[in-house]
Amino acid sequence: MNAAVDDELWSAIGDPIRRTMIDLLLSDGPGTATSLSRRLPVTRQAVSKHLAVLDRVGLIHAEPAGRERHYQVDEAQLARAVAQLSAVGSTWDARLRRIKRIAETIELHRTDNQGG
Amino acid sequence: MNAAVDDELWSAIGDPIRRTMIDLLLSDGPGTATSLSRRLPVTRQAVSKHLAVLDRVGLIHAEPAGRERHYQVDEAQLARAVAQLSAVGSTWDARLRRIKRIAETIELHRTDNQGG
DNA sequence: GTTGAGTGCAACCAAAGGTTGCGAAAGGTT
DNA sequence: AACCTTTCGCAACCTTTGGTTGCACTCAAC
């Protein structure tokens, strides 16, 4: 629907670090910048920036807990992102199928007309 | 299988301009840097750089034709990329379902124990 | 109150995406 | 053949983004 929002979602999940972060938050439950950075090949500050990006597009949200900030995945928004992925995937898939069908048709006509 | 290749495929299709380029090549057939740049909000040089990126990961390949270079989608490689998309999508989808199920179970126990 | 873990902010660096400018090669025109 | 147009590739430059280090602040625990 909204192309700008779509692009933001894409660029958010397009980064391998951010995809891993979402994976970690999903598999291990809520976490902080520090806890995530311990399981990633980048510093806490880099993780913090990525968390800000994911937060900005609504894929995660923070919950202050004392001196810590617990981040967790926003399920609805992630479900929307997954829908985007499968939408693009099926679009390309459909076009690949159509191209293949056309190619086969051409091939068929060629052998048909030229007799082999 | 190969994480590095996966990340390269992802970062290739993560860029909105490159996704649009693939869309155009699929819908309109082979094209040149110049023809694509006419349908995109960036200059030919920018398109050329994106084409080089897509070429490097094997999503497209060029065919010299006189003074032009015709680019077209590599169907097998794009099919592989589509598979990556759906793989990540279904992984997240499965985890979201599991989280939802756990949440419902907890909720059920809570009302069960506290009686409302 | 001091110490330690977690956070945020600022400065600095490198890579990526984008632009302009220019020169070279291929094709069409006269 | 000479000329003009189109397309391309290369180089220089700018801006944004991902990453780092360094420092100051807060909250919890001792």
Side-chain angles (χ1 to χ4, degrees):
Chain A
M1 310 286 181
N2 190 327
V5 170
D6 287 9
D7 272 1
E8 284 195 346
L9 265 185
W10 262 99
S11 74
I13 60 181
D15 185 283
I17 296 279
R18 289 198 281 263
R19 270 201 313 285
T20 306
M21 285 169 56
I22 291 175
D23 267 346
L24 288 173
L25 288 178
L26 283 177
S27 62
D28 300 357
T32 67
T34 303
S35 72
L36 286 172
S37 71
R38 278 196 283 259
R39 313 196 49 183
L40 289 168
V42 293
T43 59
R44 173 185 64 84
Q45 284 78 353
V47 171
S48 191
K49 289 185 185 180
H50 284 303
L51 286 171
V53 172
L54 291 174
D55 199 354
R56 215 160 30 79
V57 302
L59 276 171
I60 64 176
H61 50 81
E63 194 178 338
R67 69 182 163 183
E68 300 182 354
R69 278 176 74 83
H70 291 260
Y71 288 89
Q72 74 182 56
V73 173
D74 183 303
E75 305 181 14
Q77 192 71 359
L78 182 60
R80 204 166 304 155
V82 170
Q84 298 291 335
L85 288 186
S86 72
V88 170
S90 53
T91 297
W92 286 350
D93 205 47
R95 286 187 178 155
L96 284 177
R97 282 180 209 283
R98 203 170 60 217
I99 288 170
K100 196 176 177 188
R101 207 186 55 223
I102 291 173
E104 284 168 356
T105 303
I106 292 173
E107 181 64 20
L108 189 66
H109 282 198
R110 210 167 58 78
T111 43
D112 193 33
N113 292 336
Q114 301 187 353
Chain B
M1 307 288 184
N2 190 327
V5 171
D6 288 7
D7 273 1
E8 283 195 347
L9 266 184
W10 261 100
S11 74
I13 61 181
D15 185 283
I17 295 279
R18 289 198 281 262
R19 270 201 313 284
T20 306
M21 286 169 55
I22 292 175
D23 268 346
L24 288 173
L25 288 178
L26 283 177
S27 61
D28 301 358
T32 66
T34 303
S35 72
L36 286 172
S37 71
R38 278 196 282 260
R39 311 196 51 183
L40 290 168
V42 293
T43 60
R44 171 184 66 85
Q45 283 80 352
V47 170
S48 190
K49 289 185 186 179
H50 284 303
L51 285 172
V53 172
L54 290 174
D55 198 353
R56 215 160 29 80
V57 302
L59 277 171
I60 64 176
H61 50 82
E63 195 178 336
R67 68 182 164 182
E68 300 182 354
R69 276 176 77 83
H70 291 260
Y71 289 88
Q72 74 181 55
V73 173
D74 182 303
E75 305 181 13
Q77 192 71 359
L78 182 59
R80 205 165 302 155
V82 170
Q84 298 292 333
L85 289 186
S86 72
V88 170
S90 53
T91 297
W92 286 350
D93 205 47
R95 285 185 180 156
L96 284 177
R97 283 180 208 284
R98 203 170 60 218
I99 289 170
K100 194 176 178 188
R101 205 185 57 223
I102 292 172
E104 284 168 356
T105 303
I106 292 173
E107 182 64 20
L108 188 66
H109 283 198
R110 209 167 58 79
T111 44
D112 193 33
N113 292 337
Q114 301 187 350

Short mmCIF file of all heavy atoms in Angstrom, two decimals, chain B residues 81-112:
data_model
loop_
_atom_site.label_atom_id
_atom_site.label_comp_id
_atom_site.label_asym_id
_atom_site.label_seq_id
_atom_site.Cartn_x
_atom_site.Cartn_y
_atom_site.Cartn_z
N ALA B 81 17.07 -16.70 -4.72
CA ALA B 81 16.84 -15.56 -3.83
C ALA B 81 15.42 -15.60 -3.28
O ALA B 81 15.20 -15.34 -2.09
CB ALA B 81 17.07 -14.26 -4.59
N VAL B 82 14.46 -15.93 -4.14
CA VAL B 82 13.08 -16.02 -3.67
C VAL B 82 12.96 -17.07 -2.58
O VAL B 82 12.27 -16.88 -1.58
CB VAL B 82 12.14 -16.35 -4.85
CG1 VAL B 82 10.74 -16.68 -4.34
CG2 VAL B 82 12.08 -15.19 -5.82
N ALA B 83 13.69 -18.16 -2.76
CA ALA B 83 13.68 -19.21 -1.74
C ALA B 83 14.22 -18.69 -0.42
O ALA B 83 13.68 -19.00 0.65
CB ALA B 83 14.50 -20.40 -2.22
N GLN B 84 15.30 -17.85 -0.48
CA GLN B 84 15.84 -17.25 0.74
C GLN B 84 14.78 -16.43 1.45
O GLN B 84 14.60 -16.53 2.67
CB GLN B 84 17.01 -16.32 0.41
CG GLN B 84 18.19 -17.01 -0.22
CD GLN B 84 18.88 -17.93 0.74
OE1 GLN B 84 18.82 -17.71 1.94
NE2 GLN B 84 19.49 -18.97 0.23
N LEU B 85 14.09 -15.60 0.67
CA LEU B 85 13.05 -14.75 1.24
C LEU B 85 12.03 -15.59 1.98
O LEU B 85 11.71 -15.34 3.15
CB LEU B 85 12.34 -13.96 0.14
CG LEU B 85 13.09 -12.85 -0.55
CD1 LEU B 85 12.18 -12.10 -1.49
CD2 LEU B 85 13.65 -11.90 0.48
N SER B 86 11.53 -16.60 1.30
CA SER B 86 10.45 -17.37 1.92
C SER B 86 10.96 -18.17 3.11
O SER B 86 10.24 -18.41 4.06
CB SER B 86 9.79 -18.27 0.89
OG SER B 86 10.64 -19.33 0.55
N ALA B 87 12.26 -18.53 3.06
CA ALA B 87 12.83 -19.27 4.19
C ALA B 87 12.84 -18.42 5.45
O ALA B 87 12.36 -18.84 6.50
CB ALA B 87 14.25 -19.73 3.85
N VAL B 88 13.37 -17.19 5.33
CA VAL B 88 13.39 -16.29 6.49
C VAL B 88 11.96 -15.99 6.94
O VAL B 88 11.65 -16.01 8.13
CB VAL B 88 14.12 -14.98 6.14
CG1 VAL B 88 13.92 -13.96 7.24
CG2 VAL B 88 15.59 -15.25 5.93
N GLY B 89 11.11 -15.74 5.96
CA GLY B 89 9.71 -15.44 6.28
C GLY B 89 9.06 -16.55 7.07
O GLY B 89 8.44 -16.31 8.11
N SER B 90 9.25 -17.78 6.63
CA SER B 90 8.56 -18.88 7.31
C SER B 90 9.19 -19.16 8.67
O SER B 90 8.51 -19.56 9.60
CB SER B 90 8.55 -20.13 6.44
OG SER B 90 9.85 -20.45 6.03
N THR B 91 10.51 -18.91 8.79
CA THR B 91 11.14 -19.06 10.11
C THR B 91 10.52 -18.10 11.12
O THR B 91 10.09 -18.51 12.20
CB THR B 91 12.65 -18.76 10.01
OG1 THR B 91 13.26 -19.70 9.16
CG2 THR B 91 13.29 -18.83 11.39
N TRP B 92 10.46 -16.84 10.74
CA TRP B 92 9.87 -15.85 11.64
C TRP B 92 8.40 -16.17 11.89
O TRP B 92 7.91 -16.04 13.02
CB TRP B 92 10.01 -14.45 11.04
CG TRP B 92 11.41 -13.92 11.12
CD1 TRP B 92 12.45 -14.48 11.82
CD2 TRP B 92 11.95 -12.76 10.50
NE1 TRP B 92 13.58 -13.72 11.66
CE2 TRP B 92 13.31 -12.67 10.87
CE3 TRP B 92 11.42 -11.77 9.68
CZ2 TRP B 92 14.13 -11.63 10.43
CZ3 TRP B 92 12.24 -10.74 9.24
CH2 TRP B 92 13.58 -10.67 9.61
N ASP B 93 7.74 -16.59 10.86
CA ASP B 93 6.32 -16.90 10.98
C ASP B 93 6.12 -18.01 12.02
O ASP B 93 5.28 -17.91 12.90
CB ASP B 93 5.78 -17.35 9.62
CG ASP B 93 4.28 -17.12 9.52
OD1 ASP B 93 3.85 -16.01 9.89
OD2 ASP B 93 3.57 -18.04 9.09
N ALA B 94 6.95 -19.04 11.92
CA ALA B 94 6.84 -20.17 12.85
C ALA B 94 7.09 -19.70 14.28
O ALA B 94 6.37 -20.08 15.21
CB ALA B 94 7.83 -21.26 12.47
N ARG B 95 8.11 -18.84 14.45
CA ARG B 95 8.43 -18.37 15.80
C ARG B 95 7.33 -17.49 16.35
O ARG B 95 7.01 -17.54 17.53
CB ARG B 95 9.76 -17.63 15.79
CG ARG B 95 10.91 -18.59 15.66
CD ARG B 95 12.25 -17.91 15.76
NE ARG B 95 13.32 -18.91 15.64
CZ ARG B 95 14.55 -18.64 15.24
NH1 ARG B 95 14.88 -17.42 14.91
NH2 ARG B 95 15.45 -19.58 15.17
N LEU B 96 6.73 -16.69 15.48
CA LEU B 96 5.62 -15.85 15.93
C LEU B 96 4.47 -16.72 16.40
O LEU B 96 3.85 -16.47 17.44
CB LEU B 96 5.14 -14.94 14.79
CG LEU B 96 6.02 -13.74 14.49
CD1 LEU B 96 5.47 -12.96 13.30
CD2 LEU B 96 6.10 -12.83 15.70
N ARG B 97 4.18 -17.79 15.63
CA ARG B 97 3.09 -18.70 16.03
C ARG B 97 3.38 -19.33 17.38
O ARG B 97 2.50 -19.44 18.23
CB ARG B 97 2.94 -19.81 14.98
CG ARG B 97 2.23 -19.35 13.73
CD ARG B 97 2.12 -20.53 12.75
NE ARG B 97 2.07 -20.07 11.36
CZ ARG B 97 0.97 -19.53 10.82
NH1 ARG B 97 -0.13 -19.41 11.52
NH2 ARG B 97 0.99 -19.12 9.56
N ARG B 98 4.65 -19.75 17.57
CA ARG B 98 4.99 -20.42 18.82
C ARG B 98 4.84 -19.45 19.99
O ARG B 98 4.29 -19.80 21.04
CB ARG B 98 6.42 -20.95 18.75
CG ARG B 98 6.67 -22.10 19.73
CD ARG B 98 7.99 -22.76 19.48
NE ARG B 98 9.10 -21.84 19.62
CZ ARG B 98 10.18 -21.85 18.85
NH1 ARG B 98 10.29 -22.74 17.88
NH2 ARG B 98 11.14 -20.98 19.05
N ILE B 99 5.31 -18.21 19.79
CA ILE B 99 5.18 -17.21 20.85
C ILE B 99 3.72 -16.97 21.19
O ILE B 99 3.32 -16.91 22.35
CB ILE B 99 5.84 -15.88 20.40
CG1 ILE B 99 7.34 -16.04 20.37
CG2 ILE B 99 5.42 -14.75 21.32
CD1 ILE B 99 8.06 -14.87 19.73
N LYS B 100 2.92 -16.88 20.14
CA LYS B 100 1.50 -16.63 20.36
C LYS B 100 0.88 -17.79 21.14
O LYS B 100 0.09 -17.60 22.07
CB LYS B 100 0.79 -16.47 19.00
CG LYS B 100 -0.60 -15.88 19.11
CD LYS B 100 -1.20 -15.65 17.73
CE LYS B 100 -2.62 -15.10 17.84
NZ LYS B 100 -3.28 -15.05 16.53
N ARG B 101 1.27 -19.00 20.78
CA ARG B 101 0.72 -20.18 21.45
C ARG B 101 1.11 -20.18 22.93
O ARG B 101 0.30 -20.42 23.81
CB ARG B 101 1.23 -21.45 20.77
CG ARG B 101 0.31 -22.66 20.96
CD ARG B 101 0.94 -23.90 20.37
NE ARG B 101 2.25 -24.17 20.95
CZ ARG B 101 3.32 -24.54 20.26
NH1 ARG B 101 3.24 -24.66 18.95
NH2 ARG B 101 4.45 -24.78 20.88
N ILE B 102 2.40 -19.85 23.19
CA ILE B 102 2.87 -19.80 24.58
C ILE B 102 2.12 -18.74 25.36
O ILE B 102 1.66 -18.96 26.48
CB ILE B 102 4.39 -19.51 24.60
CG1 ILE B 102 5.14 -20.71 24.05
CG2 ILE B 102 4.85 -19.20 26.02
CD1 ILE B 102 6.63 -20.45 23.85
N ALA B 103 1.94 -17.58 24.72
CA ALA B 103 1.22 -16.50 25.39
C ALA B 103 -0.20 -16.93 25.74
O ALA B 103 -0.70 -16.67 26.84
CB ALA B 103 1.19 -15.27 24.50
N GLU B 104 -0.82 -17.62 24.82
CA GLU B 104 -2.19 -18.08 25.07
C GLU B 104 -2.22 -19.11 26.19
O GLU B 104 -3.12 -19.11 27.03
CB GLU B 104 -2.78 -18.69 23.79
CG GLU B 104 -3.19 -17.63 22.78
CD GLU B 104 -3.50 -18.24 21.42
OE1 GLU B 104 -3.31 -19.46 21.25
OE2 GLU B 104 -3.90 -17.48 20.53
N THR B 105 -1.19 -19.96 26.22
CA THR B 105 -1.12 -20.96 27.28
C THR B 105 -0.98 -20.30 28.64
O THR B 105 -1.67 -20.64 29.60
CB THR B 105 0.09 -21.89 27.04
OG1 THR B 105 -0.03 -22.47 25.75
CG2 THR B 105 0.13 -22.98 28.09
N ILE B 106 -0.10 -19.29 28.71
CA ILE B 106 0.09 -18.57 29.97
C ILE B 106 -1.21 -17.91 30.40
O ILE B 106 -1.62 -18.00 31.56
CB ILE B 106 1.20 -17.50 29.80
CG1 ILE B 106 2.55 -18.19 29.60
CG2 ILE B 106 1.25 -16.58 31.01
CD1 ILE B 106 3.67 -17.24 29.26
N GLU B 107 -1.83 -17.26 29.45
CA GLU B 107 -3.10 -16.59 29.75
C GLU B 107 -4.12 -17.58 30.29
O GLU B 107 -4.81 -17.33 31.28
CB GLU B 107 -3.64 -15.93 28.46
CG GLU B 107 -4.95 -15.17 28.65
CD GLU B 107 -4.79 -13.97 29.59
OE1 GLU B 107 -3.64 -13.50 29.78
OE2 GLU B 107 -5.80 -13.53 30.13
N LEU B 108 -4.14 -18.75 29.65
CA LEU B 108 -5.08 -19.79 30.07
C LEU B 108 -4.80 -20.21 31.52
O LEU B 108 -5.70 -20.27 32.34
CB LEU B 108 -4.94 -21.01 29.15
CG LEU B 108 -5.98 -22.11 29.33
CD1 LEU B 108 -7.36 -21.59 28.93
CD2 LEU B 108 -5.62 -23.33 28.49
N HIS B 109 -3.53 -20.41 31.86
CA HIS B 109 -3.16 -20.83 33.21
C HIS B 109 -3.49 -19.75 34.22
O HIS B 109 -3.91 -20.04 35.33
CB HIS B 109 -1.66 -21.16 33.26
CG HIS B 109 -1.36 -22.51 32.67
ND1 HIS B 109 -0.20 -23.19 32.89
CD2 HIS B 109 -2.10 -23.30 31.86
CE1 HIS B 109 -0.22 -24.33 32.23
NE2 HIS B 109 -1.36 -24.41 31.60
N ARG B 110 -3.28 -18.51 33.80
CA ARG B 110 -3.53 -17.39 34.71
C ARG B 110 -5.01 -17.35 35.12
O ARG B 110 -5.35 -17.33 36.30
CB ARG B 110 -3.13 -16.07 34.05
CG ARG B 110 -2.68 -15.01 35.04
CD ARG B 110 -2.01 -13.86 34.32
NE ARG B 110 -2.92 -13.29 33.33
CZ ARG B 110 -3.91 -12.44 33.68
NH1 ARG B 110 -4.07 -12.07 34.91
NH2 ARG B 110 -4.72 -11.95 32.77
N THR B 111 -5.88 -17.39 34.13
CA THR B 111 -7.32 -17.37 34.43
C THR B 111 -7.71 -18.63 35.17
O THR B 111 -8.57 -18.62 36.03
CB THR B 111 -8.14 -17.24 33.13
OG1 THR B 111 -7.59 -18.11 32.15
CG2 THR B 111 -8.11 -15.84 32.62
N ASP B 112 -7.01 -19.73 34.83
CA ASP B 112 -7.30 -21.01 35.48
C ASP B 112 -6.98 -20.92 36.96
O ASP B 112 -7.77 -21.28 37.82
CB ASP B 112 -6.45 -22.10 34.82
CG ASP B 112 -6.93 -23.48 35.23
OD1 ASP B 112 -8.15 -23.63 35.44
OD2 ASP B 112 -6.09 -24.37 35.38
#
